[in-house]
């Protein structure tokens, strides 16, 4: 980087490296930790933070009324992430300093104070397994006081899952709840009865599941939850628990694997792939217009180089004249030169028309052209043929028409419409075969790509694409 010239030209490799290793997020996490814990030796704290390497471990609270399925979902998530589960039962079974004090309250039939629960949780989460593997906190916090105590102790979840269902459904569920004392698995006499006879024999009835006690707990939950919601509303998501457990788990798992919105600077580098006629040009234009990023069509870039009579354009012209494809090394050189200009580096870019096969994608990566969002626009062959074979061009105005979607407004315009030679059915079939021959390899290469159904209204497609751009990429399980 030349520090003597303005504006400063930051090499694109620097931004790609910082984004790949999430340097901005790393610095933000360390700063948050410093402000929360206020260590006497900040440098040593930051070194310890880096050694722990646990910024991506799950930290999840699962809340909800009695019988909403908190234990079931928590146990499934723990198996998925190999993460400790923290609940009232597990805390009272641990050999912690404050466990005996909490048991004393329980034996006397007294309610364990919020401050004691918060201290127990803080002590448990300071153990090495929770630091390295993360934690699933089940049923905490129950009220606003517990939430503030956890918050003041620096215990901040990344995701808060709230399960809900009608009260009558919850009461019915609770009445049939049974517990396996060996595994702590939860079963139900109607909805989830174990097939193993040995498990059936050792099941015991859960405590406090009568209709009267359940109604009392539900009333207390409904009284306390709105205040808890206010504290965690930015990271909280509710899920309907009145559906099969597998469906609830799938939805919760998807949410827990998503990243929270980062304050890191984000320069869009977007790539559209898909068969001809799938709408790559239109979607690129819409994205570029809304977010003021550079729209780059590889084919158009080649035509401009020839028209401007640049050095590369002189090399490209013979291939255009003969109808042969331009060699990859020339295309890549032209593309790299355009993407390394200041507007692309500062505003971002959206690219379509290249790469078309695995070799071109690998060459792009070696050249440092690495998109951070890749979209495959999927469209059935029948729809491709319908879109392309019936479109015509007015040679006078250059306006495009389509016999089905956008017919010519006047008979005299209709009379002199012409079809592009590339839009013949034979040529479309050949392009489709070429795309599908290499499409699978490209999909494997861009493993974090998004797949969009392009056979619908283009503005619905745009909204889906936009949502994938502005949201962080999910964590890989």
């Amino acid at each position: 980087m030349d520090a003597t010239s303005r504006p400063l030209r930051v090499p694109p490799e620097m931004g790609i490296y910082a984004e790949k290793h999430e340097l901005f997020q790393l610095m933000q996490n360390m700063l948050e930790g410093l402000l929360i814990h206020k260590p006497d030796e900040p440098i040593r704290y930051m070194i310890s933070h880096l050694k722990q390497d646990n910024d991506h471990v799950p930290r999840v609270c699962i809340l909800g009324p009695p019988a909403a399925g908190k234990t079931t979902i928590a146990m499934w998530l723990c198996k998925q992430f190999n993460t400790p589960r923290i609940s009232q039962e597990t805390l009272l079974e641990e050999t912690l300093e404050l466990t005996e004090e909490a048991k004393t309250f329980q034996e006397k039939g007294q309610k364990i104070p919020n401050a004691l629960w918060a201290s127990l949780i803080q002590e448990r989460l300071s153990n090495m397994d929770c630091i390295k593997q993360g934690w699933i906190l089940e049923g905490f916090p129950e009220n606003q006081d517990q939430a503030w105590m956890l918050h003041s102790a620096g215990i901040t979840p990344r995701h808060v899952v709230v399960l809900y269902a009608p009260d009558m459904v919850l009461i019915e569920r609770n009445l049939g709840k049974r517990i396996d004392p060996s595994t702590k698995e939860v079963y139900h006499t109607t909805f989830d009865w174990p097939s193993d006879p040995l498990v059936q024999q050792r099941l015991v009835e859960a405590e406090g599941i009568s209709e009267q006690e359940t109604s009392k707990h539900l009333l207390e939950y409904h009284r306390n939850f709105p205040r808890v919601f206010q504290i965690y509303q930015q990271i909280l998501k509710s899920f309907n628990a009145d559906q099969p457990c597998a469906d609830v788990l799938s939805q919760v798992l998807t949410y827990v694997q998503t990243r929270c919105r980062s304050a890191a600077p984000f320069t869009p580098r977007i790539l559209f792939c898909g068969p001809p006629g799938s709408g790559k040009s239109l979607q690129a234009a819409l994205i570029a217009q809304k977010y003021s990023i550079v729209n780059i069509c590889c084919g158009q870039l080649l035509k401009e180089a020839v028209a401007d009579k640049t050095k590369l354009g002189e090399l490209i012209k013979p291939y255009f004249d003969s109808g042969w494809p331009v060699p990859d090394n020339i295309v890549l050189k032209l593309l790299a030169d355009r993407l390394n200009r200041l507007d692309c580096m500062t505003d971002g870019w959206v690219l379509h028309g290249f790469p078309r096969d695995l070799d071109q994608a690998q060459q792009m990566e070696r050249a440092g052209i690495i998109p951070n969002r890749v979209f495959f626009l999927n469209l059935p062959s029948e729809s491709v043929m319908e879109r392309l074979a019936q479109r015509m061009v007015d040679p006078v105005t250059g306006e495009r028409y389509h016999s089905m979607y956008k017919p010519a407004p006047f008979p005299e315009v209709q009379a002199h419409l012409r079809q592009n030679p590339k839009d013949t059915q034979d040529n479309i079939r050949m392009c489709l075969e070429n795309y599908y021959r290499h499409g699978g390899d490209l999909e494997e290469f861009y493993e974090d790509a998004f797949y969009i159904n392009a056979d619908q209204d283009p503005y619905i497609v745009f909204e889906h694409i936009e949502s994938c751009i502005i949201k962080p990429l999910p964590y890989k399980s």
Side-chain angles (χ1 to χ4, degrees):
M1 182 168 64
D2 184 2
T4 63
S5 61
R6 294 292 187 275
L8 295 177
R9 290 182 61 87
V10 179
E13 295 81 6
M14 291 178 63
I16 293 172
Y17 179 84
E19 188 177 304
K20 178 181 178 180
H21 297 283
E22 300 183 337
L23 299 186
F24 190 95
Q25 190 66 43
L26 181 64
M27 297 301 296
Q28 181 177 319
N29 291 339
M30 285 198 292
L31 181 60
E32 288 175 356
L34 287 171
L35 294 174
I36 291 172
H37 299 288
K38 301 180 179 66
D40 295 330
E41 298 185 40
I43 301 299
R44 183 171 294 179
Y45 172 86
M46 288 191 287
I47 293 172
S48 174
H49 178 93
L50 292 171
K51 286 182 177 178
Q52 289 174 3
D53 188 27
N54 66 345
D55 284 336
H56 299 314
V57 297
R59 294 203 288 265
V60 184
C61 285
I62 300 184
L63 309 177
K70 299 186 294 296
T71 301
T72 301
I73 297 300
M75 293 182 76
W76 280 7
L77 287 180
C78 290
K79 291 177 182 178
Q80 179 75 23
F81 296 114
N82 191 27
T83 301
R85 180 175 71 95
I86 316 297
S87 66
Q88 290 188 6
E89 293 78 14
T90 61
L91 285 172
L92 294 176
E93 291 171 359
E94 297 279 352
T95 54
L96 305 172
E97 292 182 8
L98 299 172
T99 302
E100 293 303 321
E101 184 181 348
K103 286 182 177 178
T104 303
F105 280 96
Q106 193 180 45
E107 289 167 359
K108 292 179 180 179
Q110 298 176 354
K111 190 174 181 179
I112 299 174
N114 290 331
L116 184 53
W117 276 127
S119 299
L120 276 169
I121 292 170
Q122 187 177 5
E123 185 182 352
R124 178 65 183 88
L125 297 187
S126 64
N127 289 355
M128 192 53 64
D129 59 343
C130 291
I131 292 173
K132 286 290 186 184
Q133 299 167 247
W135 41 265
I136 307 293
L137 192 56
E138 176 200 326
F140 286 105
E142 294 177 315
N143 51 54
Q144 187 182 44
D145 289 341
Q146 287 183 5
W148 282 123
M149 288 174 184
L150 294 179
H151 194 68
S152 61
I155 300 171
T156 52
R158 288 201 181 93
H159 301 87
V160 176
V161 172
V162 177
L163 305 175
Y164 69 90
D167 286 357
M168 292 305 298
V169 172
L170 297 173
I171 291 171
E172 182 185 352
R173 279 189 184 182
N174 230 15
L175 293 174
K177 185 186 290 185
R178 299 294 183 269
I179 307 292
D180 184 345
S182 301
T183 63
K184 305 300 180 186
E185 291 275 0
V186 180
Y187 296 95
H188 195 277
T189 54
T190 304
F191 307 117
D192 186 22
W193 191 246
S195 56
D196 189 343
L198 294 177
V199 175
Q200 294 175 11
Q201 291 175 9
R202 64 173 183 252
L203 293 184
V204 296
E205 188 173 297
E207 295 181 4
I209 63 170
S210 68
E211 185 172 346
Q212 185 176 359
E213 288 180 280
T214 302
S215 300
K216 179 182 174 183
H217 292 316
L218 283 170
L219 183 63
E220 185 177 1
Y221 171 80
H222 291 312
R223 186 186 299 120
N224 291 324
F225 178 71
R227 294 176 181 175
V228 177
F229 174 85
Q230 290 176 356
I231 296 173
Y232 292 122
Q233 57 182 323
Q234 297 297 326
I235 53 173
L236 179 147
K237 189 172 178 63
S238 299
F239 298 89
N240 180 13
D242 190 16
Q243 53 182 324
C245 284
D247 294 340
V248 180
L249 176 66
S250 175
Q251 296 167 28
V252 170
L253 191 60
T254 300
Y255 171 61
V256 170
Q257 287 178 324
T258 59
R259 306 177 188 228
C260 298
R261 185 71 60 82
S262 171
F266 175 69
T267 304
R269 301 188 303 275
I270 304 165
L271 173 64
F272 283 126
C273 300
S278 57
K280 301 185 292 294
S281 300
L282 174 60
Q283 297 303 327
L286 293 173
I287 289 291
Q289 181 181 23
K290 180 163 185 178
Y291 291 98
S292 300
I293 61 179
V294 183
N295 182 5
I296 297 176
C297 171
C298 193
Q300 188 64 30
L301 202 62
L302 295 172
K303 293 175 185 176
E304 289 174 0
V306 173
D308 294 341
K309 298 182 179 179
T310 62
K311 290 183 179 179
L312 283 175
E314 295 298 327
L315 295 174
I316 295 168
K317 191 174 185 304
Y319 294 98
F320 269 28
D321 294 340
S322 64
W324 288 93
V326 181
D328 291 348
N329 62 327
I330 297 178
V331 177
L332 202 63
K333 185 173 178 58
L334 184 67
L335 192 59
D337 178 67
R338 182 66 188 91
L339 295 180
N340 287 335
R341 291 184 195 172
L342 190 62
D343 57 349
C344 288
M345 291 166 55
T346 54
D347 300 331
W349 47 263
V350 53
L351 171 66
H352 51 105
F354 193 89
R356 296 178 182 271
D357 56 44
L358 179 61
D359 185 53
Q360 291 177 351
Q362 292 171 338
Q363 289 183 59
M364 272 181 57
E365 187 174 72
R366 288 194 291 268
I369 304 172
I370 302 174
N372 50 22
R373 293 292 188 277
V374 179
F375 295 91
F376 283 91
L377 304 182
N378 295 326
L379 190 68
S381 301
E382 298 79 10
S383 298
V384 170
M385 195 66 68
E386 183 182 274
R387 287 187 181 186
L388 299 185
Q390 299 183 45
R391 67 182 182 183
M392 310 287 278
V393 179
D394 183 346
V396 178
T397 64
E399 185 74 18
R400 286 185 177 183
Y401 297 97
H402 192 281
S403 60
M404 184 179 298
Y405 304 120
K406 188 185 175 183
F410 305 108
E412 53 270 23
V413 176
Q414 175 70 37
H416 59 244
L417 291 183
R418 296 291 180 269
Q419 185 182 47
N420 190 317
K422 293 183 179 180
D423 289 343
T424 62
Q425 291 193 5
D426 290 341
N427 192 65
I428 294 170
R429 289 194 189 95
M430 186 174 64
C431 291
L432 278 173
E433 288 175 5
N434 186 60
Y435 171 77
Y436 290 123
R437 188 183 304 118
H438 302 290
D441 293 334
L442 279 175
E443 291 177 7
E444 288 184 14
F445 185 77
Y446 293 115
E447 57 182 0
D448 289 328
F450 296 93
Y451 297 88
I452 310 291
N453 174 19
D455 196 15
Q456 52 185 330
D457 185 274
Y459 290 97
I460 294 176
V461 175
F462 172 73
E463 288 175 1
H464 191 176
I465 291 171
E466 185 181 31
S467 70
C468 296
I469 292 172
I470 62 177
K471 291 178 182 177
L473 292 173
Y475 290 114
K476 292 180 182 178
S477 58

